[in-house]
C-alpha cells in the first residue's frame, strides 16, 4: 500500500474519534454481506457454484499433481464469482504471479529490500497488482460481485485511489484463496486415503444429490461426517497466529505481565493440540472428532479467529470447499498414478503460513469419473434458489 492509502486505513481505525472511518465501514460490509442469508452471500454462493460446475463438468480423466490442480480450479471458479467476466485471474500470468507471491509472502513482511530479499514474491505481487489496475482502468466492471462494488464505494468515500483499490483487491484474493486451497486438498487427501471414510461420506452425500443435482443447502444437516472432517482438517492443519492488543495492564497466573498497548499473539496450533481440551489423541487426525456432543469452550477452536474479528468469509469458504469435495467424492475416483490408494503427507511446518499449513509433498494422481457418472453434468441448489 502507498502512504496515502495507509493513512486512509489508519485514520480513526479504532473509532476513538467517532463512528466513522474506512476500517469501520469495511468491517461492516464484509461481516454484513457475507453473513448467512444475506442477498450478497446467496448471490455469490450461487455464482461460485455455477462457475465450479462449468469447470468440473469438463473433467473426465486427468493425470495431474493433486495440489496444483486443486489450486488452479479453486482460483478460477472463486475469482470468477468475485470479479466477474473480466476477472484478472483469467490471465495465466496474473494467476502464476499471485501464487508465487503467496509462497514468498513471509519474506515481504520483513519490508527490507523486498526486490532483492524476495524478488519472486515482489514480482508476483506486482503482476497481480497490475492485473487489478487494468481491471479498474475504465471503472468498475458491471459483472463484478456486489461485494466488490461495496468495497469500491467505501474506498471512494474516503478518497482511496485506483492504485490503492487494486492493492486492496490483491488482499481480497489472499483472503479468498490462501486457506481454502489447502483445506480442499487436505480433505481430499484424508478422505480418498481411507476407503472406509470415503464410503461413509459417499453414502451421506448421496442423500443430498440426484445424479448431478446437489442440494448444497442441506450439507450441514445431512452430511455430519463430512462436516466433522472439515472441522478436524481445520483443527489439525491451521496454525493461524491471532493478534490482540492489550487494553490495560494485566497479570496472568501471577507470572506474566502484559502491558497496555502491547500485542499478544495467540497461535491456534498450540490450542488445537492441547490434550486438556481435545483428549489424549489430540496429535492424531480423527474425522469423527466433531460428531459427538461434547462441549468445548469457544476459545478451543480458533481456525477462523474469534469474537468480533472472526473471519467474515467462513460460511462462504465452507460452501465452496464442501461442494468441491462432495462432488469429487460422489462422481470421481482419485488414486495415485500407479493405481494405489492416496497417502496422506505430513504437514509442512517449515513453510510459514497465514493460516492452514500445506502438505509436505503433493502427489501425482489420476482423477477419473466413476462408473455410471461418466456423462453426469453437475448443478447446485443453494439457499438462494
Amino acid at each position: 500500500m502507498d502512504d496515502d492509502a495507509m493513512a486512509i486505513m489508519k485514520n480513526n481505525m479504532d473509532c476513538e474519534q467517532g463512528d466513522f472511518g474506512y476500517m469501520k465501514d469495511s468491517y461492516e460490509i464484509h461481516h454484513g454481506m457475507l453473513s448467512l442469508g444475506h442477498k450478497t452471500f446467496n448471490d455469490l454462493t450461487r455464482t461460485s457454484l455455477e462457475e465450479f460446475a462449468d469447470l468440473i463438468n469438463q473433467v473426465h480423466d486427468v493425470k495431474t499433481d493433486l495440489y496444483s490442480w486443486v489450486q488452479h480450479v479453486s482460483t478460477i471458479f472463486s475469482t470468477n464469482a468475485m470479479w466477474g467476466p473480466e476477472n484478472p485471474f483469467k490471465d495465466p500470468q496474473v494467476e502464476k504471479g499471485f501464487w508465487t507471491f503467496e509462497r514468498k509472502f513471509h519474506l515481504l513482511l520483513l519490508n527490507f529490500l523486498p526486490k532483492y530479499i524476495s524478488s519472486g514474491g515482489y514480482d508476483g505481487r506486482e503482476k497481480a497488482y497490475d492485473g487489478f489496475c487494468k481491471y479498474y482502468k475504465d471503472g468498475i466492471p458491471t459483472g463484478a460481485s456486489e461485494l466488490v462494488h461495496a468495497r469500491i464505494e467505501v474506498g471512494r468515500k474516503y478518497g482511496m485511489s485506483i492504485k490503492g483499490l487494486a492493492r486492496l483487491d490483491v488482499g481480497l484474493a489472499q483472503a479468498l484463496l490462501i486457506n481454502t486451497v489447502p483445506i480442499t486438498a487436505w480433505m481430499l487427501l484424508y478422505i480418498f486415503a481411507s476407503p472406509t471414510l470415503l464410503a461413509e461420506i459417499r453414502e451421506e452425500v448421496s442423500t443430498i444429490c440426484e445424479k448431478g443435482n446437489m442440494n448444497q443447502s442441506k450439507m450441514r444437516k445431512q452430511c455430519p461426517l463430512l462436516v466433522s472432517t472439515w472441522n478436524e482438517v481445520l483443527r489439525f492443519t491451521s496454525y493461524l497466529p491471532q493478534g490482540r492488543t492489550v487494553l490495560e495492564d494485566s497479570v496472568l497466573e501471577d507470572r506474566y505481565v502484559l502491558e497496555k498497548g502491547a500485542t499478544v499473539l495467540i497461535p491456534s496450533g498450540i490450542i488445537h493440540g492441547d490434550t486438556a481440551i481435545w483428549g489424549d489423541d489430540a496429535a492424531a487426525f480423527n474425522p469423527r472428532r466433531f460428531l459427538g456432543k461434547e462441549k468445548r469452550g469457544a476459545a478451543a477452536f480458533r481456525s477462523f479467529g474469534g469474537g468480533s474479528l472472526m473471519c467474515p468469509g467462513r460460511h462462504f469458504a465452507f460452501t465452496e470447499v464442501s461442494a468441491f469435495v462432495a462432488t469429487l467424492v460422489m462422481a470421481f475416483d482419485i488414486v495415485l498414478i500407479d493405481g494405489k490408494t492416496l497417502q496422506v503427507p505430513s504437514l509442512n511446518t517449515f513453510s510459514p503460513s497465514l493460516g492452514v499449513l500445506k502438505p509436505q509433498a503433493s502427489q501425482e494422481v489420476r482423477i477419473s469419473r466413476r462408473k455410471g457418472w461418466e456423462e453426469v453434468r453437475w448443478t447446485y441448489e443453494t439457499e438462494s434458489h
Side-chain angles (χ1 to χ4, degrees):
M1 302 297 293
D2 58 35
D3 292 342
D4 290 340
M6 288 301 298
I8 291 170
M9 295 174 69
K10 289 181 178 180
N11 184 38
N12 197 34
M13 182 183 291
D14 298 321
C15 293
E16 294 178 351
Q17 302 170 36
D19 194 28
F20 68 90
Y22 173 83
M23 295 301 290
K24 178 256 183 187
D25 287 5
S26 179
Y27 174 92
E28 289 182 350
I29 63 168
H30 287 90
H31 282 265
M33 299 179 84
L34 291 175
S35 61
L36 287 174
H38 194 284
K39 179 181 180 300
T40 298
F41 174 82
N42 290 341
D43 290 346
L44 194 58
T45 295
R46 185 186 66 253
T47 304
S48 174
L49 296 187
E50 288 173 352
E51 293 288 344
F52 175 66
D54 287 343
L55 291 173
I56 206 66
N57 286 334
Q58 300 176 44
V59 178
H60 291 273
D61 193 334
V62 60
K63 295 179 180 179
T64 183
D65 174 272
L66 180 61
Y67 193 92
S68 297
W69 182 80
V70 169
Q71 178 177 287
H72 174 67
V73 172
S74 295
T75 298
I76 298 304
F77 84 81
S78 293
T79 57
N80 277 351
M82 188 64 69
W83 285 285
E86 297 179 53
N87 171 26
F89 282 86
K90 288 185 175 181
D91 180 348
Q93 293 304 309
V94 171
E95 180 184 358
K96 180 181 178 181
F98 173 83
W99 286 110
T100 301
F101 160 54
E102 186 273 337
R103 288 195 302 274
K104 300 187 177 183
F105 177 75
H106 60 288
L107 296 175
L108 294 174
L109 292 176
L110 298 173
N111 199 28
F112 176 72
L113 300 175
K115 290 185 179 181
Y116 305 100
I117 298 297
S118 180
S119 58
Y122 180 89
D123 293 341
R125 182 182 64 185
E126 294 309 294
K127 180 64 71 173
Y129 163 66
D130 289 343
F132 280 110
C133 284
K134 293 176 183 177
Y135 179 77
Y136 287 121
K137 65 181 175 62
D138 296 322
I140 310 175
T142 55
S145 66
E146 292 179 11
L147 179 62
V148 168
H149 279 269
R151 284 166 55 89
I152 300 304
E153 289 177 11
V154 170
R156 286 176 171 173
K157 174 182 176 181
Y158 291 98
M160 192 77 72
S161 68
I162 289 295
K163 291 182 177 180
L165 295 171
R167 293 285 186 195
L168 287 170
D169 271 20
V170 175
L172 177 58
Q174 286 183 284
L176 190 66
L177 296 169
I178 63 172
N179 286 318
T180 55
V181 167
I183 292 170
T184 303
W186 279 119
M187 288 193 71
L188 292 174
L189 284 165
Y190 275 110
I191 293 171
F192 281 90
S194 170
T196 299
L197 182 62
L198 175 60
E200 290 183 63
I201 292 181
R202 272 182 179 159
E203 181 65 27
E204 283 190 344
V205 175
S206 70
T207 68
I208 63 169
C209 72
E210 295 181 13
K211 283 295 179 180
N213 179 258
M214 182 179 295
N215 192 331
Q216 210 283 334
S217 64
K218 295 182 178 180
M219 186 79 70
R220 286 191 181 275
K221 289 186 178 180
Q222 294 185 214
C223 301
L225 183 55
L226 177 64
V227 175
S228 179
T229 302
W230 151 271
N231 284 323
E232 181 68 348
V233 163
L234 288 171
R235 183 196 74 86
F236 199 70
T237 66
S238 61
Y239 280 68
L240 176 68
Q242 300 164 48
R244 295 293 186 270
T245 300
V246 179
L247 299 180
E248 59 183 40
D249 291 345
S250 306
V251 179
L252 301 181
E253 297 183 352
D254 296 323
R255 297 176 58 191
Y256 306 105
V257 178
L258 305 180
E259 297 182 351
K260 180 179 179 180
T263 299
V264 176
L265 291 179
I266 309 168
S268 58
I270 302 299
I271 299 172
H272 293 164
D274 190 341
T275 56
I277 299 172
W278 301 100
D280 293 338
D281 67 340
F285 183 88
N286 178 5
R288 294 169 176 77
R289 188 181 304 277
F290 289 84
L291 289 176
K293 297 181 179 180
E294 182 180 353
K295 293 184 178 180
R296 304 179 180 93
F301 191 56
R302 310 292 291 184
S303 295
F304 287 109
S308 63
L309 297 181
M310 184 172 287
C311 174
R314 62 193 184 279
H315 303 303
F316 185 62
F318 174 79
T319 298
E320 288 197 321
V321 174
S322 62
F324 193 148
V325 172
T327 302
L328 270 290
V329 163
M330 204 67 216
F332 293 83
D333 286 318
I334 305 178
V335 295
L336 297 176
I337 290 296
D338 61 7
K340 295 181 180 179
T341 301
L342 266 58
Q343 300 295 313
V344 179
S346 57
L347 292 166
N348 186 355
T349 56
F350 295 100
S351 178
S353 168
L354 292 178
V356 177
L357 296 177
K358 298 175 184 176
Q360 183 71 39
S362 192
Q363 300 179 47
E364 292 292 324
V365 300
R366 179 182 180 185
I367 304 171
S368 58
R369 294 272 184 148
R370 294 174 64 202
K371 185 177 180 179
W373 295 81
E374 294 91 344
E375 303 303 324
V376 170
R377 296 186 62 80
W378 285 89
T379 58
Y380 300 88
E381 294 181 45
T382 63
E383 293 289 353
S384 56
H385 281 79

